[in-house]
Amino acid sequence: MTDAPTPLLVDLLTELRSAVGDTHVLTDPADLAAYDTDWRGAYSGRPLAVVRPGSTAEVAAVLAATHAAGVAVVPQGGNTGMSGGAVPDDSGSQVILSLGRMRAVREVDAVGGTITVESGCVLADVQAAAAGVDRLFPLTLGSQGSCTIGGNISTNAGGTAVLRYGMMRSQVLGLEVVLPDGRVWDGLRSLRKDNTGYDLKQLFIGAEGTLGVVTAAVLTIQPATPSRATAWVALRDVAAAAELLGVLRDHGGDRLTTWELVSRPARDLVVAAGLTDPLSTSSEWYGLVELAGPAGADVATPLEAALGEAVEAGLVLDAAIAGSPAQRSGLWALRERVSEAQEVHGPTVKHDVSVPITALADFVARTGPAIEAHLPGTRLFVYGHVGDGNLHYNLSRPEHLTSEEFLTHAAALSDVVNASVAELTGSISAEHGLGKSKAAAAAAYKSDVEVALMRAVKDAIDPAGLMNPGAVLPLPPVLLG
Ligand code: FAD
Ligand code: MLT
Ligand code: ZN
């Protein structure tokens, strides 16, 4: 049983229908189901409606209407986010603005090295458009078949090629953004150099929909790297993983693209799901490494030299180098399938932390025992982007607890992990963003000055607080009720 919308909201729905067309304003619960819950089923809400504009002008009309009505808006791309940022609260009064219809690739410029796309473009389609002119769009995520460029920009997504190309922020040259009151900021420039004042686009990158709606972007594209050398390695320990980064860099230089870590329990998950680990050597830690270069480049020799030196030094216990594209895909799957494999084991308390690379081993050494002391039997599934100092430090229930019982410990377990991160001057969100799930924790770890600056930015651009309330910054006490 849901409450009927108030007359004000009924008027708003009429206005939204005239802005985008009747068929693109969804209110039937059966239609809302595809939008009101995140992909893991971990966060859900009850929207007033889902609105699906087809152009920047329509996004502007939608935001002008919601702003006039004082109604909050939650932008949504592929809904693959990890922090509950793309779903509304359960008040029944927030509008989900889905960018799913705005998926045009407007221009690809191989000479200038740019691609201009609408924000609802799926990441894999942008990669394919770049490949179509023999170029590379380097952002690489396990979710690339579903996540959108607008979501990637708004979360400042990372992934498995950050080591070489940087995060999403590094790929963005220009943005078009609709502001909370419906005005359009046209910053869709392809300039490599532009020192004409504050770099406004940086505010919207990583803003998680709290400052406006990204409608289009100019992104950089890179030379294609069809030559790949890929290896799966068994490591001595986490300290060896960090040390190996130096060895890989010495031999691979800027061709080193990927250096990922997978703990034994995480590797066991994907093996149990049917994948094959080519190594018979048993270890507590494994890694995936890749060097990439242009056609004809010899990336195999530096990889073999680096691994030879690492075996000699006792950092690597065993290694398997892919001998074919099929073998390469098999090795990549051992890393990329961990995330989904974990979902079948019930609810996970997820953490996405970063610490200085040299502190990774210390983080692992101190956090595991602290978790065990707090809730004995909690299972750790650790994997991540070791080359970026970024671990996904995920917890699953002990055998003796039900999922519901385990989740009552979630906040306290996260406090344990976050305390370790703080002691090592790390971050509690390396690449997934804060969404609504981590906004309060992040504010607690930041200085008063930093939180005040963030609030000043929010208040300047969204003074009515209508864009994705509760994401990034916790709700002001008066709105918490
Ligand atoms: P959504 O989930 O729809 O939204 C995310 C946030 O951005 C929300 O706050 C939303 O309000 C806002 N938003 C979305 N579109 C817009 C817009 N146009 N304008 C303004 N705000 C907007 N992430 C990583 O960083 N690295 C990984 O390696 C990685 N791997 C993943 C693997 C799997 C299997 C899955 C399921 C997810 C993974 N993710 C990873 C998380 C996720 O895919 C990224 O955060 C991605 O950038 C989200 O894109 P989306 O389009 O799905 O955004
Ligand atoms: C990954 O690196 O696999 C992703 O960020 C997803 C996850 O954290 O599970
Ligand atoms: Zn990740």
Side-chain angles (χ1 to χ4, degrees):
M1 179 76 178
T2 53
D3 303 330
T6 62
L8 178 88
L9 296 181
V10 171
D11 286 351
L12 173 64
L13 289 172
T14 306
E15 213 172 324
L16 294 175
R17 288 191 179 101
S18 82
V20 302
D22 282 2
T23 52
H24 299 303
V25 178
L26 314 178
T27 53
D28 186 324
D31 295 331
L32 299 181
Y35 301 86
D36 64 14
T37 302
D38 79 319
W39 71 279
R40 290 199 294 143
Y43 309 99
S44 64
R46 189 167 67 88
L48 170 70
V50 173
V51 182
R52 304 178 73 244
S55 65
T56 302
E58 289 186 6
V59 174
V62 168
L63 289 195
T66 51
H67 186 259
V71 163
V73 173
V74 179
Q76 189 179 95
N79 201 10
T80 68
M82 293 281 184
S83 310
V87 294
D89 67 13
D90 56 10
S91 65
S93 66
Q94 299 188 333
V95 167
I96 294 177
L97 191 155
S98 166
L99 280 303
R101 288 175 63 217
M102 293 184 57
R103 47 175 66 204
V105 174
R106 292 188 187 162
E107 191 190 358
V108 191
D109 177 356
V111 175
T114 62
I115 184 166
T116 306
V117 300
E118 292 184 347
S119 63
C121 251
V122 169
L123 172 55
D125 293 342
V126 177
Q127 294 167 337
V133 295
D134 200 22
R135 291 290 182 268
L136 173 79
F137 183 66
L139 193 81
T140 308
L141 311 181
S143 54
Q144 59 202 24
S146 313
C147 64
T148 63
I149 288 299
N152 302 151
I153 291 170
S154 301
T155 59
N156 186 25
T160 51
V162 170
L163 192 54
R164 177 163 177 179
Y165 297 103
M167 295 182 68
M168 187 62 181
R169 188 181 298 281
S170 306
Q171 326 305 326
V172 178
L173 290 178
L175 287 185
E176 178 186 78
V177 180
V178 180
L179 300 173
D181 59 5
R183 286 177 298 155
V184 178
W185 173 53
D186 181 359
L188 211 50
R189 295 184 276 265
S190 58
L191 303 176
R192 310 269 167 172
K193 293 180 132 181
D194 177 9
N195 274 352
T196 55
Y198 302 133
D199 190 355
L200 294 176
K201 66 178 178 293
Q202 301 298 350
L203 287 177
F204 297 96
I205 301 171
E208 300 183 57
T210 59
L211 301 178
V213 176
V214 176
T215 44
V218 183
L219 309 170
T220 53
I221 50 179
Q222 307 292 335
T225 56
S227 302
R228 308 268 170 128
T230 312
W232 175 249
V233 300
L235 293 157
R236 186 194 68 202
D237 52 22
V238 178
E243 233 180 287
L244 186 53
L245 178 62
V247 179
L248 290 167
R249 277 223 167 98
D250 288 346
H251 290 270
D254 63 6
R255 292 189 174 171
L256 175 62
T257 306
T258 295
W259 178 217
E260 298 281 309
L261 189 69
V262 180
S263 67
R264 186 186 180 90
R267 169 256 186 216
D268 288 351
L269 281 180
V270 289
V271 169
L275 300 188
T276 304
D277 181 345
L279 299 180
S280 51
T281 304
S282 169
S283 171
E284 286 308 303
W285 297 96
Y286 296 84
L288 178 82
V289 59
E290 188 162 277
L291 270 61
D298 178 10
V299 279
T301 302
L303 178 63
E304 284 162 19
L307 293 181
E309 186 180 320
V311 169
E312 192 98 327
L315 304 175
V316 165
L317 309 180
D318 201 359
I321 297 182
S324 67
Q327 283 180 7
R328 174 177 176 259
S329 304
L331 299 188
W332 266 95
L334 289 166
R335 164 63 184 91
E336 285 209 309
R337 296 270 297 276
V338 174
S339 192
E340 66 180 82
Q342 212 189 329
E343 291 306 314
V344 302
H345 287 263
T348 311
V349 180
K350 286 181 87 82
H351 305 94
D352 164 40
V353 309
S354 64
V355 295
I357 292 168
T358 46
L360 277 168
D362 193 0
F363 173 79
V364 168
R366 65 171 76 193
T367 313
I371 292 289
E372 179 62 21
H374 187 84
L375 186 64
T378 301
R379 288 172 294 172
L380 307 183
F381 295 99
V382 182
Y383 55 98
H385 317 285
V386 64
D388 314 325
N390 175 193
L391 291 182
H392 300 306
Y393 197 88
N394 299 342
L395 314 178
S396 289
R397 70 174 176 84
E399 298 286 352
H400 66 279
L401 293 185
T402 64
S403 295
E404 291 69 32
E405 286 165 343
F406 173 58
L407 288 178
T408 64
H409 298 271
L413 287 167
S414 292
D415 286 346
V416 172
V417 175
N418 294 347
S420 264
V421 172
E423 281 160 23
L424 295 169
T425 63
S427 165
I428 65 162
S429 178
E431 59 171 7
H432 292 163
L434 297 173
K436 289 149 197 169
S437 63
K438 296 182 193 159
Y445 282 104
K446 286 180 184 290
S447 69
D448 291 349
V449 172
E450 197 167 348
V451 173
L453 282 172
M454 286 173 63
R455 280 213 186 276
V457 171
K458 171 76 173 171
D459 291 345
I461 298 177
D462 180 25
L466 296 177
M467 292 306 305
N468 213 356
V472 179
L473 281 161
L475 288 174
V478 66
L479 293 177
L480 282 172

